[in-house]
Amino acid sequence: MTTRAGESDPQAGALRTADRTAIERRTRAIGRELFDRVGRSSRPWRRAWWEDRFMASTLADPEVRVQLFRFIDVLPALKTAGAVRRHLAEYLDEAGDRVPWWLRTAVALAPPGSAREGLLASAARTAAGVMARKFIAGSTPDEAFQTVLKLRARKVAFTADLLGEAVISEREADAYQQTCLDLIRGLAGPLAARPEVPQIDRDADGPIPRVNLSLKLSSLTTWFDPISPAATIARTAERLRPILRTARDLGAYVHVDMEQYDYRTLSYDLFEAVLGEDEFRDWPDVGVVVQAYQPDAEAELRRLDAFVERRGAPITVRLVKGAYWDYEVLTSRRHGWPEPVFLQKWRTDANYERCTRFLMERRANLRPAIASHNLRSLAHALAAAEALGLPPDAYELQTLHGMGEAVDDALVERGLRVRVYTPYGAMLPGMAYLVRRLLENTSNESFLKAGASGVAVDDLLRDPEETGAMLAKKRPARPESAPAALPPFRNEPVADFAKAEDRDVMADALRKVAGELGRAYPLILDGERIETPGRVAESLDPSQTTRVVGRVATADAGHADRAVAAARSVLNEWAARPADDRAAIVVRAAAILRERRFELAAWEVYECGKPWREADADVCEAIDFCEFYAREMVRLAEPRRRDVPGETNACDRLPRGVAVVIPPWNFPLAIPCGMTVGPLVAGCPVILKPAEQSPVVAAKLVEILHEAGVPPGVLHYLPGDGEEVGQALVNDARIAVVSFTGSRQVGLLLNKQAAETPKGQDHVKRVLAEMGGKNAILVDDDADLDEAVVGVLQSAFGYAGQKCSARPGARSASARPRIPTRSSAR
Amino acid sequence: MTTRAGESDPQAGALRTADRTAIERRTRAIGRELFDRVGRSSRPWRRAWWEDRFMASTLADPEVRVQLFRFIDVLPALKTAGAVRRHLAEYLDEAGDRVPWWLRTAVALAPPGSAREGLLASAARTAAGVMARKFIAGSTPDEAFQTVLKLRARKVAFTADLLGEAVISEREADAYQQTCLDLIRGLAGPLAARPEVPQIDRDADGPIPRVNLSLKLSSLTTWFDPISPAATIARTAERLRPILRTARDLGAYVHVDMEQYDYRTLSYDLFEAVLGEDEFRDWPDVGVVVQAYQPDAEAELRRLDAFVERRGAPITVRLVKGAYWDYEVLTSRRHGWPEPVFLQKWRTDANYERCTRFLMERRANLRPAIASHNLRSLAHALAAAEALGLPPDAYELQTLHGMGEAVDDALVERGLRVRVYTPYGAMLPGMAYLVRRLLENTSNESFLKAGASGVAVDDLLRDPEETGAMLAKKRPARPESAPAALPPFRNEPVADFAKAEDRDVMADALRKVAGELGRAYPLILDGERIETPGRVAESLDPSQTTRVVGRVATADAGHADRAVAAARSVLNEWAARPADDRAAIVVRAAAILRERRFELAAWEVYECGKPWREADADVCEAIDFCEFYAREMVRLAEPRRRDVPGETNACDRLPRGVAVVIPPWNFPLAIPCGMTVGPLVAGCPVILKPAEQSPVVAAKLVEILHEAGVPPGVLHYLPGDGEEVGQALVNDARIAVVSFTGSRQVGLLLNKQAAETPKGQDHVKRVLAEMGGKNAILVDDDADLDEAVVGVLQSAFGYAGQKCSARPGARSASARPRIPTRSSAR
């Protein structure tokens, strides 16, 4: 069976059953052979052998391992010997007596302030350096050249992985580009002058580039953001093209690495856009990565296959399992999104084999680069190639530098082309990479680890589908959980603007809302919609101040008096409603907010100049407040019991009374919503005086709450002048709660006014004032500064300085607090 | 073996081992014989048989039983048919579908407002009446006479138990006395005219009284209180003597019942005092109860034996197991006292047999009246009498009216004298009695119940000691629990002034403190004791205003300034102390308070005119505040965690800052203590400005807190004029918390002043104001009015109206809140 370029068989990748059985049989045979060779290659007379053994024994305990990796991660940032000692001691302390004796002794012998502290620090730095050099090829073209020569001596090819992933300034992006150019230029001449090593310098079609570079697209720009694909592609391509031109001119190869999931589509788009340009479309010495831990990896292969069909010249595809598994799982869970990767290792392995077969079949278009240390995966690739009649030079195998020389050698001995992925760059940015590699290498499911720990060869060579079937048998049926009145609280997932669907629906909402601008918003008082002719305020779009978002009525003291009277008259009735009922209304409001989320986000964009993500997150937070407070109320409604013999003691919470809510404009939906539904669900009628800058979004909120079932008398909408209607409300003797978020000046004034207890007031007013100020960010001396800078920038300037919260986080995280809690005024 | 009156063998009651074995053998033989007779006496042709069966089946389910008894208990109080239906439906609702079908149908067929509601109500009243008449002899002397005649026809004697236990007014006490007199007079003549029934009208020594009355001493006075034994004896004896005289003159017998444990010693004292008077000392027709569920019952028998030795004439002792078991266990646990009764039924049974043997041996002094329905206990009494050679008429057996006629008959057939304890009085007061009897009769461990449920006769006749040995074998070893840092919170047990020791130690403390009155109390400012010559206030004893309790310095605004500066300067240090440390100091303070509790209570008696129990409870509450807040702080110091993937979120509580504490005088130790240790343990330095009426007790508190380890700068004692020093403190910009308990006027003023935020104040002041007002007491329409009246009286007037709390409870309960919580100012 052979394949032809241009073939578009929908069954491509699905070898006949007979072939599959044969491949499986050959896979096992080749696998056992490889195991044999790897076993024989143990060479105790080489330093690497001892290093491996020592590392394996030190890192055998997972707790020790994690703590040592944490230490290595921060080591480059530590400026003094004392800091090194302190961090080592602190991290090892958490692993307790599982730490090896020699390591404990070393730390104990170097007490704080002692001379030996310096010795300990330099020993630690040396050890980390040794470790790093094991994995990193060098930090100058010359060092890299020496590494490459050593590899060539072992008949092993290389690709230089340029470290320095986190690029957060234009200067860094320029530097990354320059490093790429320098390395290509620095290696091309010297390597061209070396004698050919046919096993690695040519393939079935002739000579292949000796210089091979792997780069990350996101390192070529400070703003690699899928929310604006066209702009990102334009910006990034500008720095990419000179690298491609230089490589092409000097006969080097350029490979585009894949990063996290939300960069994926944009990265393929960029790859296709630039490599599809006339200048590059006939150049075959380029490639890209496909990650098999993504369930739709095969669809990406088909997409690339179709691209090559259009383009004409083939490309290389490096098939990996994927290095961002922890990150993807964590990020998606934090956002409440489905995980974009397989959660079970066997599924990734099985997918990897499917993708391998696809690549082998489509070899004419997509040159296979099978990157793995898993002998089963490698053996399967060899067997599949064999079944398809592909010669050994029709594809290559890739491994990680320093992670398994025995595997490389075994493959080389079999006459195969092996390329080693070789990090290149300075220690400092390399450390994060190193730790990620190490953690992956020593994680429980890692193949190398399994090999070292003596699992039977047959188990290691088992077909992943078979493993899956075995696991399915073992897994107990999921227990039926009783349906709760309300499912547990979870944050509303924000929109994923890396997805075109989400961008489209937002754009639609903006268009729709644009047609509704400029309408009138009357007061809503006891269910009555009241116009105030001659007293109408215009809410303007701050980003285009000629645009009127809405024409809003203005309440006066008389309206305030009527609203308070109406609210007071229904207080007892609302307070007597079971908490479950009030909670159900608020949950209903959450459902309506959810349904109208993009429309509401669009209103925020117009009325407050919110960026899309911020607007979306604000709507999500409003939903969170509803869902969270509803659950809290159900919980709090349960009387606290503290019985002693002969007594039945219960502590019930009662609503305080009518609440005035005076929110700010900067989170125009979330904060008014939280401040309003809190008292409402607790049984307090609310009079909402919205911020003068965002009355239209507040009107939408009130409309939704009434629609959800809040009775007319229980919630009133009184936009107006703070000094007029706000003042009248706060001073009213029938008001029990004043809830305010805003400036310190106004908050303190309200606090003072509310403390006057006018005649006839039968209670003490309660003031909740959240006043000016910004949360602090502390950046520790061992922090990842790249992460910290991005977090600070986003928190401080992500919304033009209009946030009280200042929260560092992953680059793709929104800055909204994930659990709706309001910090106190103190 | 025989016994002689006047014998004072210290080994009395300890029959020889040979005798014990013989008695055990005979006990089983007699027991089996009695079981036989009782079995044969089942007479289905009698209505009582059917009633018993019906009752047994209806009451078989414990849940239904409890609900029906609750209903019967409230029935007399229900005024309308609707109320009857509503209560029946509500109570049965709690038993759900375990309610018998006919009862559910009856309720369902009488919906609210229907005519059938009236039918249901009268049916319920009739049924309850039938039940009541089964147990209650009548409510007039004539009705009682008819009941007695029926009993005499069965050769059964009686004792009339006068219902109406809860006497809460002088008129009720007079009425109780009058009822006793009327009943003696009403029965004496008619019964004297009846033919003799020798089996019950005479004993070994000749004729015995035909009229037999059982009364309760506490019903003869409104204030039966062991805290003042002499006064109680004098008051009660006045109403008792006319009854004794009338009985003696008309040839009737008077028996003194025993009630709850805290009345016991006083009751025996009273019995001995009056029956030891010359007028009564030669009169043998009197008796008293001994309760075998009390571990020291035998000691009481010895005491009575010694009394008879002094007095000359014998008395009767009715040996019971005890009817207040639930009450005793509950009350003692509520107070944190050891239970005064056996917690295991077999121990009571074994003690009963020991006491039985003692009585039989001392028959010449203490005429045995063995009161039980337990055939084993009865058989053992018969066997013991037999072993001692006592004839059947040397003792009597007592049972409860309506509870087991078959048992009576079986004993009568054996030629024994059986006396039935026959409640006499109106339905209304009788109901509580009735329910207590019913609950006891149907409780799980009841002998009659066991008999009805088919337990093997041999099991029922087992020696209780043997049962104990069996249970001991079954019981698993108590699991060793890990010692906690702090044991769980429990309320400090109040003193038991029913005990002479507690009364004596309090009297000693009062004497000791009397010698310390009039001393000087300087300010305590930053550890310095500062006199204020020319500005000294006298704290006077309000019950004797010429008595100077202490001469107290007076702080001015300058002192306030210095104290705030000192407190502010140590704030960070105190706040940084681990919460565990601060909690340990406060627990140490609790230990010192505990050690000095009577002394401190004595200071309260002098400085605030507190009654003993109130003063003691106030000290206990102060201890509770320390112990409780210490634990709360340890709990609250644990950061609240709410992690989401990729985030570590912790919520820590920080001390607010320097606190001013302004407590009231009416709980001179507990409230200042709670208000002070709360902020202290939370990390806030405190300036305490004590109430002007109770500065001396506050000075003791401050002294104790410093002794426990509160640093000098962290706690300051500034007695003085509220308008001068209080004002200066509240207005100070460095103060963060103002904690006040007192009048509404002052509280609102402080609240207003604290809401001014002066220049340089970097926080909003927090005011905690607990202001004037009294807790409400709601008395439901089905409440036990006797209990409610006593509770209201005690709460409202127990401390001359000087309490904010108004808490009904059992008569012996103190009015202090058992869990230290402060109600909010609202």
Side-chain angles (χ1 to χ4, degrees), chain A residues 248-393:
Chain A
R248 192 191 50 197
D249 296 348
L250 296 178
Y253 171 99
V254 175
H255 197 90
V256 171
D257 277 353
M258 276 294 130
E259 304 173 66
Q260 61 261 44
Y261 176 71
D262 64 344
Y263 286 4
R264 188 177 70 153
T265 302
L266 180 53
S267 297
Y268 287 130
D269 288 349
L270 206 164
F271 180 83
E272 289 193 4
V274 176
L275 275 310
E277 289 171 2
D278 287 342
E279 185 181 359
F280 301 114
R281 60 185 307 151
D282 61 347
W283 184 40
D285 296 330
V286 291
V288 72
V289 165
V290 166
Q291 298 155 313
Y293 64 13
Q294 281 164 348
D296 57 355
E298 210 175 319
E300 295 297 348
L301 290 176
R302 288 178 195 281
R303 172 196 171 150
L304 292 170
D305 192 42
F307 167 63
V308 170
E309 290 292 321
R310 289 196 308 276
R311 180 180 187 249
I315 62 169
T316 297
V317 170
R318 182 194 302 150
L319 183 65
V320 302
K321 289 185 184 164
Y324 296 80
W325 191 90
D326 285 345
Y327 172 89
E328 301 295 3
V329 169
L330 200 110
T331 303
S332 56
R333 285 186 183 164
R334 185 174 55 201
H335 288 144
W337 296 337
E339 295 91 353
V341 294
F342 286 121
L343 295 181
Q344 290 156 300
K345 184 74 166 71
W346 72 265
R347 291 193 193 274
T348 295
D349 291 342
N351 199 35
Y352 192 87
E353 299 192 358
R354 275 193 299 277
C355 291
T356 299
R357 293 192 296 270
F358 183 96
L359 280 176
M360 293 296 178
E361 292 183 38
R362 310 296 301 162
R363 194 267 162 195
N365 283 353
L366 307 175
R367 295 179 178 168
I370 307 300
S372 177
H373 286 256
N374 182 317
L375 295 189
R376 156 83 201 184
S377 302
L378 293 170
H380 173 267
L382 272 52
E386 228 181 76
L388 291 163
L390 292 180
D393 59 1

Side-chain angles (χ1 to χ4, degrees), chain B residues 402-421:
Chain B
M403 295 296 287
E405 292 187 5
V407 174
D408 304 342
D409 294 346
L411 295 167
V412 169
E413 277 179 44
R414 264 185 143 265
L416 292 157
R417 184 166 73 252
V418 175
R419 188 177 302 283
V420 167
Y421 187 78

Side-chain angles (χ1 to χ4, degrees), chain B residues 109-127:
Chain B
L109 288 178
S114 71
R116 272 195 293 252
E117 217 177 13
L119 283 179
L120 179 71
S122 55
R125 288 213 176 87
T126 304

Side-chain angles (χ1 to χ4, degrees), chain A residues 428-451:
Chain A
L428 184 62
M431 279 301 179
Y433 167 84
L434 177 58
V435 168
R436 196 159 64 223
R437 278 289 89 77
L438 289 171
L439 282 170
E440 185 181 311
N441 188 25
T442 54
S443 82
N444 276 337
E445 292 212 277
S446 158
F447 189 84
L448 289 179
K449 179 77 197 318

Side-chain angles (χ1 to χ4, degrees), chain B residues 54 58 64 68 85 88-89 92-93 96-112 114 116-117 119-121 123:
Chain B
F54 180 68
T58 304
V64 175
L68 278 178
R85 200 208 65 85
L88 188 57
L92 290 181
D93 200 45
D97 51 11
R98 315 171 83 154
V99 176
W101 64 268
W102 55 267
L103 198 46
R104 265 186 289 168
T105 311
V107 176
L109 288 178
S114 71
R116 272 195 293 252
E117 217 177 13
L119 283 179
L120 179 71

Side-chain angles (χ1 to χ4, degrees), chain A residues 683-723:
Chain A
C684 301
V686 169
I687 299 163
L688 172 61
K689 196 220 77 69
E692 288 152 47
Q693 299 90 334
S694 59
V696 172
V697 173
K700 305 286 170 193
L701 169 67
V702 171
E703 175 190 303
I704 287 167
L705 286 167
H706 279 310
E707 184 190 338
V710 176
V714 170
L715 175 61
H716 311 268
Y717 171 70
L718 289 200
D721 182 41
E723 285 172 34

